[in-house]
Amino acid sequence: MKRDNVAFRLLQEEQTRQKNSLNLVASENYVSGQVLLALGSVFTNKYSEGYPRNRYYGGNEVVDKVENLARERALKLFKLNPAHWHVNVQPYSGSPANAEVYSALVPLGEKIMGLELTMGGHLSHGHKVSITSKAWKVAQYAVDKKTHRLDYETILRLARREKPKLIIAGYTAYPRVINFKKFNEIAQSVGAFVMVDMSHFAGLVAGRVYPSPFPYADVVTTTTHKTLRGPRGAMIFAKKELARKIDRAVFPGFQGGPHNHQTLAIAVALHEALQPSFVSYAKRVKNNAVVLALELKKRGWEIITGGTDSHVLLVNVSANGVGGYQAETMLEEANIVVNKNTIPYDERPPSDPSGIRLGTPAVTTRGMRVREMKLIADLIDRALKGESAKSVRRNVLELVKKFPIP
Ligand code: DSN
């Protein structure tokens, strides 16, 4: 067949864009060549509804091995005993994984409790536009108005009043360490399940630079494509006694055939995360974020909560007279890619909030370290203080050229 030049030109365009941009989107990363190879493999041709040794189609003897390999590696990476923990590697992505957990553990119309989106929570944690708030009742907690950190006393009071069946910890834009033990105590006191969504910091848990939620959670969900540096996808870890309910909620409850090419790529990414070099990677991700926050602060930018304990930081750009939308646009013109983000108690709308969210997983994968974080802080500062995009972009291009995408 004739080569599809139109489509492949777009592929080239995107490769060039990624190569020439400084990617500070906290939820993105670059996968390895092996992960890409697995994703682009013939496993995409196969249907395998069901689970290993229990499928609705023939021809799944190799797919079964792949799914079992991914499961084994996932449990090993997070040091989980297979006698006590189960993992489902079939969820298509993070939002379906979260909804699958609620549907497994919380009867429709009963209550879940999560952090508000504008405070750093996720759409699928019960936001009003998400199906999760239509199928279940929702109680939403906030961060403290002054410190912008979680206030466990207030969360406890809300849980006692609202009596949710499941409490969610783990967020999309919260830079600090979460006290999972406190969540466990709160949930126990009201008879709720604890679900931790570790999508953002899974790679940091694997690299042992962020506390593990497993000792205190009943269920842990994660995407596989953020700090974990795998393909797009998700996993649900559950205590063994909940395994059957979780599996049935994923298939046949929500999904049809698993994406087997994705499962193979997850297995490859987990193998990579099991290497000692991944621990150094996770350490550098966190250290880079701490330094980037510090350097921006030195240049007069307000960092929400004053810094970070993870890979992500929130900058209140409106404190310096720049809107979030404007900041995202100004930076993009200089080839610096970030996302606008609400800050806690934001008075501006989510379409043009007060903040931007920055993260270090992608630039760290490119090999950047402390020295480059100082340069990046300078580049951001110059772009947001009105220097011409062209002159900042020239320096961005010089920098990224020295750090090719692996
Ligand atoms: N978009 C992802 C994030 O930034 O956290 C999750 O939906």
Side-chain angles (χ1 to χ4, degrees), residues 77-93:
L77 181 63
F78 294 102
K79 303 194 168 17
L80 301 173
N81 182 342
H84 303 304
W85 282 89
H86 172 73
V87 61
N88 186 310
V89 296
Q90 292 192 8
Y92 298 144
S93 205

Side-chain angles (χ1 to χ4, degrees), residues 118 318 321-326 342 345-355:
T118 54
S318 71
V322 189
Y325 175 80
Q326 189 191 0
T342 51
Y345 301 95
D346 210 326
E347 282 169 3
R348 299 169 64 114
S351 54
D352 184 16
S354 296

Side-chain angles (χ1 to χ4, degrees), residues 27 122 172 200 226 357:
S27 48
H122 191 257
T172 203
H200 261 266
K226 297 187 174 84
R357 187 183 67 163

Side-chain angles (χ1 to χ4, degrees), residues 62 75 167 189 215 236 253 268-269 303 311 313 320 326 336 349 362 398:
V62 191
L75 293 176
I167 301 179
S189 78
I236 303 173
V268 174
I303 310 296
H311 64 296
L313 48 137
N320 291 20
Q326 189 191 0
I336 302 171
E398 279 165 13

